[in-house]
Amino acid sequence: METRPVLYIGNKNYSSWSLRAWLGLKVAGIDFEERLVPLRTDEWAAKAPVFSPTAKVPAFYDGTKTIWEALGILEYIADSRPDTLLWPLDIDVRAIARAVSLEMHGGFSALRTHMPMNCRQSLPGLGRADDVDKDIARIAGIFKMCRTQYGQGGDFLFGDFSIADAMYAPVVTRFKTYGVDLDPVGNAYMQAILDLPAMKEWYADAAAEEWVIQESEVK
């Protein structure tokens, strides 16, 4: 009997990196067991160093090994399950998809700092500080470039859903929370992400959570 892989995640309301891995696995049709450990609690302090070598989420245990980092998890699935088509098939398009995914992985620090992910809240106009508008403009440019140049045949950045969409999904939640309006291309793309059944499931679960992390509550 095969053991179901396990994905360890944090609070759905706040954990952007958990959402990236979770959404990618869900849309790819990967069967896994979800284990949520509340962030910044005694349970977290006790369990996180055990299930993850970095004591962070997400972490994916496939029965023989642990993979950490959302992008690392999804790359592993793309390599081990090519039928999931988590990257575009064309090598040149795939290179662009990887580039924008890595830009998300390592960038946009102002947006992350001043607009923390918070699925339960509606805070239009808040968080617009320092270089946040610069980050928003760059992300809007990525959305428009990908959709107009590579997005034929589907509603997502490269047509079909890919790892790039999983990487930018938490940004879409931030733009929804803080009332960020883009051009028509960007707005249509964000709606396509929000309309995914898996995203609706994530939002419903986040709304039902009772934990509150004050540092992530922008007021």
Side-chain angles (χ1 to χ4, degrees), residues 76-91:
Y76 170 68
I77 297 299
D79 287 342
S80 61
R81 289 282 306 274
D83 59 300
T84 58
L85 300 177
L86 277 173
W87 284 128
L89 291 174
D90 183 277
I91 189 171

Side-chain angles (χ1 to χ4, degrees), residues 137-179:
R138 174 56 188 155
I139 292 168
I142 289 171
F143 289 174
K144 189 170 185 178
M145 180 269 291
C146 292
R147 286 293 303 136
T148 57
Q149 295 185 32
Y150 307 105
Q152 297 79 9
D155 295 327
F156 302 103
L157 294 179
F158 296 90
D160 293 329
F161 184 93
S162 73
I163 289 173
D165 300 295
M167 292 301 292
Y168 282 89
V171 170
V172 172
T173 74
R174 287 173 161 97
F175 287 178
K176 180 178 186 293
T177 296
Y178 299 97

Side-chain angles (χ1 to χ4, degrees), residues 2 40 42 62 101 115 120 134 156 175 185:
E2 291 188 4
R40 304 183 191 182
D42 290 341
D62 72 349
S101 296
M115 291 183 171
R120 289 195 297 254
K134 182 178 178 181
F156 302 103
F175 287 178
V185 173

Side-chain angles (χ1 to χ4, degrees), residues 8 18 56 58 64-65 77 86 118 121 129 159 161 187:
Y8 293 90
S18 295
K56 295 179 181 179
T64 61
K65 59 186 171 298
I77 297 299
L86 277 173
N118 193 324
Q121 293 281 19
F161 184 93
N187 288 338

Side-chain angles (χ1 to χ4, degrees), residues 51-131:
F51 66 70
S52 171
T54 61
K56 295 179 181 179
V57 285
F60 183 77
Y61 180 67
D62 72 349
T64 61
K65 59 186 171 298
T66 297
I67 301 111
W68 59 100
E69 288 284 350
L71 190 54
I73 293 166
L74 296 179
E75 284 273 20
Y76 170 68
I77 297 299
D79 287 342
S80 61
R81 289 282 306 274
D83 59 300
T84 58
L85 300 177
L86 277 173
W87 284 128
L89 291 174
D90 183 277
I91 189 171
D92 295 325
V93 179
R94 189 160 67 247
I96 301 301
R98 278 198 164 105
V100 298
S101 296
L102 287 165
E103 185 175 353
M104 181 69 255
H105 189 276
F108 309 117
S109 60
L111 177 74
R112 289 171 168 169
T113 299
H114 296 287
M115 291 183 171
M117 181 167 136
N118 193 324
C119 296
R120 289 195 297 254
Q121 293 281 19
S122 178
L123 304 167
L126 296 187
R128 303 296 279 260
D130 298 327
D131 290 330

Side-chain angles (χ1 to χ4, degrees), residues 165-213:
D165 300 295
M167 292 301 292
Y168 282 89
V171 170
V172 172
T173 74
R174 287 173 161 97
F175 287 178
K176 180 178 186 293
T177 296
Y178 299 97
V180 177
D181 188 49
L182 304 182
D183 58 84
V185 173
N187 288 338
Y189 168 67
M190 291 196 295
Q191 193 60 53
I193 291 290
L194 293 170
D195 285 343
L196 283 167
M199 281 295 287
K200 292 180 179 180
E201 178 184 345
W202 182 275
Y203 264 90
D205 291 347
E209 290 178 352
E210 297 181 354
W211 307 288
V212 175
I213 299 176

Side-chain angles (χ1 to χ4, degrees), residues 26-47:
K26 281 281 187 176
V27 177
I30 302 299
D31 180 44
F32 65 93
E33 178 185 347
E34 171 189 316
R35 293 186 188 173
L36 190 155
V37 182
L39 300 168
R40 304 183 191 182
T41 61
D42 290 341
E43 182 182 359
W44 175 266
K47 291 183 177 179

